[in-house]
Amino acid sequence: MTSQTINFRAIRPHGADQRIGFEELVRQLLIANPPQSCVHLEHKGPGADGGVEVLMHRSNGRVWGYQTKFFVDGFAASQISQLWDSFRSALASHPTLDRYIVVLPINLAGGVRVGRVSQRQKWENFVAEAEAEAEAVKAGRQVKIDLWDEKDSRLDRPINSDELGEKGEKRFAELCADARLIANASTRDRAGWDYIVDFKVEGATGRLDARPAPASARVQVKTQWADNSIIKLRLRTLPGRLEYRIVTGVYSEQSATITRRTTP
C-alpha cells in the first residue's frame, strides 16, 4: 500500500472551520474502517457536551468514545486542560464507556531536555492520572485511554489497532498450540487477562478426573507496531505474589508477521 501523508495544517475546512474538517475526516475514517466489534457509530457533532465527537457502540453493550482535538501549535498546559474537560465530561455522560481515544493531528515529541517534560511524557502523565480518576469515580471502572496521532492518522496502516490486538491474540494461541499448551481465552475480561494457559502434566495416566490439576498461568498479550517501543500495562490488576508473563507481539507491515517477545 502506498503511504499517503496528510498535511493537517492545510486540511480543507468544513463549514469554514478546519477543526470541524479534521473531525469530519476522523469520522469518515471510522466509517470506512470500523473496529470489528462496532455495531453502530453515533456522530455527536461539533459542540457536543458529552466529551466525544464520535461514539462507537459495541456488540458487548459498551461504548468507545473518540475525541478529536485540532492541536497544531503545541501540546502544553492549555491543551492538556482541554483534554481533562472533555474526558471528565465523557465519564459523566457515558456510563458504559470503557475506551477513550484521543485523535491529534500532530506527533508528540519524545525528546528529553534538562528541566523540561517532553510532550510524550505529558501525555503519558495525563493517561495515568485520568485512568486512575475513572477508577476512583466508580470503584472498579476501567477506561482505557489511547492516542491516535498524526502517524496513525495516515492511510498506510493495513489494519487498525483493534484488529492488530486480535491478530496478536490469535498468534499467541497458535504458539500455545505449537507448544502443546492449552490456551483458554477470556470471554469476559475485566481483570486484564487475555488467556489462562494450562500446562501439560507429564506422565499423568488414568481417569481425567483423577489426574492432578495442571499448572496454569494468566497471560496478557500486547501487540504493537514495530515502530512503537511503548507498552502500557495496568500493574494494579496483578494480584500480589503472582508470577506472570507479558507476551508482546511486534507486527511488521512489510512482512505481515508477528514476532514474539516475553518479559519475565
Side-chain angles (χ1 to χ4, degrees):
M1 180 180 290
T2 302
S3 176
Q4 305 177 50
T5 303
I6 301 172
N7 179 4
F8 288 105
R9 289 181 178 273
I11 195 169
R12 185 179 66 184
H14 191 78
D17 191 332
Q18 282 188 306
R19 175 183 58 84
I20 301 177
F22 179 59
E23 176 186 318
E24 178 62 18
L25 171 64
V26 172
R27 187 177 75 89
Q28 292 296 332
L29 288 174
L30 288 171
I31 292 173
N33 190 24
Q36 290 185 346
S37 60
C38 176
V39 173
H40 170 62
L41 286 172
E42 181 182 353
H43 185 211
K44 291 297 186 180
D49 59 358
V52 300
E53 271 77 51
V54 179
L55 199 64
M56 188 192 80
H57 297 264
R58 303 175 62 207
S59 56
N60 64 358
R62 306 191 73 79
V63 298
W64 290 0
Y66 290 82
Q67 172 65 43
T68 61
K69 292 296 185 183
F70 193 59
F71 299 154
V72 293
D73 296 318
F75 189 76
S78 174
Q79 288 77 18
I80 294 171
S81 176
Q82 293 180 52
L83 286 181
W84 272 113
D85 289 344
S86 296
F87 179 69
R88 285 168 174 155
S89 179
L91 281 181
S93 302
H94 308 292
T96 59
L97 181 77
D98 65 2
R99 191 170 183 180
Y100 193 72
I101 299 95
V102 176
V103 188
L104 302 179
I106 59 174
N107 288 325
L108 300 181
V112 179
R113 297 182 181 179
V114 177
R116 297 185 62 182
V117 179
S118 70
Q119 292 180 338
R120 174 63 63 172
Q121 187 59 57
K122 290 176 183 177
W123 164 259
E124 294 296 335
N125 291 344
F126 163 74
V127 169
E129 293 170 14
E131 288 183 347
E133 180 170 308
E135 190 167 10
V137 167
K138 184 177 180 180
R141 181 179 184 182
Q142 294 183 3
V143 178
K144 180 182 179 183
I145 302 175
D146 288 326
L147 174 65
W148 188 9
D149 59 11
E150 181 184 14
K151 192 170 189 178
D152 292 322
S153 296
R154 297 176 186 177
L155 307 181
D156 58 358
R157 293 296 199 194
I159 55 178
N160 60 38
S161 60
D162 187 52
E163 294 164 337
L164 179 65
E166 182 178 5
K167 188 177 183 72
E169 290 180 14
K170 288 182 177 179
R171 176 56 179 151
F172 174 76
E174 290 178 358
L175 293 171
C176 287
D178 291 343
R180 303 184 67 185
L181 303 176
I182 300 175
N184 301 288
S186 171
T187 57
R188 192 167 185 265
D189 172 22
R190 302 306 299 163
W193 304 112
D194 297 310
Y195 287 93
I196 295 180
V197 178
D198 290 334
F199 294 82
K200 183 179 178 181
V201 179
E202 297 295 340
T205 59
R207 299 194 324 269
L208 291 177
D209 60 353
R211 297 178 186 179
S216 64
R218 296 179 181 180
V219 177
Q220 185 175 75
V221 180
K222 293 290 187 182
T223 309
Q224 63 184 29
W225 296 104
D227 57 4
N228 180 16
S229 61
I230 297 175
I231 301 173
K232 294 190 295 183
L233 176 69
R234 294 177 181 273
L235 294 178
R236 61 180 176 272
T237 65
L238 299 176
R241 299 184 179 179
L242 176 68
E243 183 176 352
Y244 65 93
R245 297 289 184 271
I246 306 166
V247 180
T248 306
V250 180
Y251 184 82
S252 169
E253 296 180 56
Q254 288 71 30
S255 60
T257 58
I258 289 180
T259 55
R260 178 185 60 184
R261 296 176 184 169
T262 304
T263 60

